[in-house]
Amino acid sequence: MSVKVAFIGLGVMGYPMAGHLQQAGHQVTVYNRTTAKAQRWAEHYQGTYAPTPKEAVAGAELVFMCVGNDDDLRSVVYGEEGVLAGMAENTVLIDHTTTSAKVAREVAERAAAQNVAFLDAPVSGGQAGAENGVLTVMVGGEPEVFARVQPVMAAFSRFSQLLGEVGSGQLCKMVNQICIAGVVQGLAEGLHFAKQAGLDGEKVVETIAKGAAGSWQMENRYKTMLAGEYDFGFAVDWMRKDLGIALDEARSNGASLSLTAMVDQYYADVQALGGGRFDTSSLLTRLDAIHDKK
């Protein structure tokens, strides 16, 4: 069934996500801060664009957002030209941005005041997952709202799950990033050790990947890491933003994230080396730089 939807934010994730919705037969209107990108999207996918968030959401049953951070989210949701200024009652606002759970609850409360439902729905799978329509969506909100939106989200996802009340999706995304950080650091140290020990890194990984050490990161990133190539996905700058959100939440809920805090600082070292736009597997560059100084 075709649904009239809006999509706010056409970054590396939002651009293809909105495209999948259009290709699935939905009527999509987009908004992007840079109008030229919205125009390009509309030409590419034969959709429509609007000059403001308010105009983009006019008449939309579902409104999807994927922007940068908490402040970016507030900037497109609130105000006279914001999303909420243009949404009708009994519609749904879905946020795919990775934000704090606090801002998710804040936006949900503001939306509810005008009878608009809200789901916080961060995604995992990176740019490739968005482009291929196989993202994983972690959702917080009411079950009946999730059931209404899930079939539409299927246009760009292969799995979506309701984790609990509003904020739960963002908390789950924090768990996701915590786990990735630890695994990537372990892989970086393993490859660094293999190199220092005089082993053939490719043969080592081909061997251990078949056992308990295997992981998505190992399977998909070891070759590029060994080649010193780091232009394959989620950037260090974005990862530091996400880990900062998780560490802030941990300070509130009492969780102990000593490894996460350490890896966050390692990513800061990568930024200092000029690798802010490198993908997250670039932790190996830090270890190489330390060795080169010896």
Side-chain angles (χ1 to χ4, degrees):
M1 183 180 68
S2 176
V3 177
K4 183 172 174 53
V5 305
F7 205 105
I8 311 298
L10 300 175
V12 296
M13 303 294 286
Y15 194 101
M17 290 167 73
H20 284 300
L21 288 168
Q22 180 74 9
Q23 290 172 331
H26 302 298
Q27 305 166 57
V28 185
T29 301
V30 300
Y31 164 81
N32 192 67
R33 185 166 48 189
T34 305
T35 304
K37 184 176 280 189
Q39 292 174 323
R40 187 164 67 250
W41 183 94
E43 292 171 5
H44 184 180
Y45 291 106
Q46 287 78 55
T48 58
Y49 73 95
T52 67
K54 179 181 178 180
E55 291 174 81
V57 306
E61 180 181 337
L62 307 177
V63 176
F64 298 89
M65 303 182 293
C66 192
V67 293
N69 56 33
D70 287 25
D71 290 338
D72 293 328
L73 181 63
R74 291 184 176 103
S75 74
V76 296
V77 171
Y78 303 148
E80 292 182 0
E81 298 299 325
V83 164
L84 286 179
M87 291 186 71
E89 292 188 354
N90 300 313
T91 55
V92 185
L93 180 59
I94 307 103
D95 183 32
H96 294 299
T97 312
T98 297
T99 69
S100 67
K102 178 181 178 181
V103 79
R105 298 181 188 112
E106 172 194 310
V107 172
E109 185 175 346
R110 291 280 289 270
Q114 58 187 69
N115 200 25
V116 170
F118 178 81
L119 297 175
D120 61 295
V123 299
S124 179
Q127 184 176 347
E131 291 172 350
N132 294 321
V134 292
L135 293 170
T136 295
V137 191
M138 305 157 237
V139 186
E142 295 299 321
E144 61 273 18
V145 179
F146 175 66
R148 177 179 171 185
V149 174
Q150 188 181 30
V152 181
M153 289 195 301
F156 52 75
S157 64
R158 65 179 171 187
F159 182 79
S160 57
Q161 176 132 292
L162 183 67
L163 281 304
E165 61 188 16
V166 168
S168 299
Q170 296 298 346
L171 293 171
C172 183
K173 180 61 182 286
M174 294 174 208
V175 175
N176 187 77
Q177 303 305 73
I178 290 165
C179 292
I180 289 173
V183 170
V184 174
Q185 177 61 18
L187 178 57
E189 291 188 11
L191 294 178
H192 177 69
F193 180 91
K195 180 180 178 181
Q196 295 306 115
L199 297 173
D200 183 320
E202 267 203 56
K203 288 183 178 179
V204 167
V205 173
E206 286 172 3
T207 303
I208 68 173
K210 295 175 173 60
S215 67
W216 185 97
Q217 298 293 339
M218 182 177 288
E219 180 180 349
N220 290 275
R221 292 290 179 263
Y222 86 91
K223 287 187 177 181
T224 52
M225 290 171 75
L226 289 172
E229 299 171 354
Y230 301 109
D231 188 25
F232 297 92
F234 198 68
V236 167
D237 288 342
W238 303 337
M239 185 60 152
R240 286 216 71 207
K241 181 209 78 170
D242 291 0
L243 294 181
I245 291 171
L247 291 166
D248 283 344
E249 187 68 32
R251 282 187 278 273
S252 298
N253 68 22
S256 177
L257 300 184
S258 55
L259 176 61
T260 304
M262 182 172 64
V263 177
D264 178 56
Q265 290 307 300
Y266 292 165
Y267 277 125
D269 292 342
V270 175
Q271 288 176 317
L273 292 168
R277 304 304 294 178
F278 290 172
D279 69 60
T280 52
S281 69
S282 58
L283 285 169
L284 183 56
T285 63
R286 172 186 169 273
L287 297 172
D288 290 340
I290 291 171
H291 176 261
D292 291 344
K293 287 181 179 179
K294 291 182 179 178

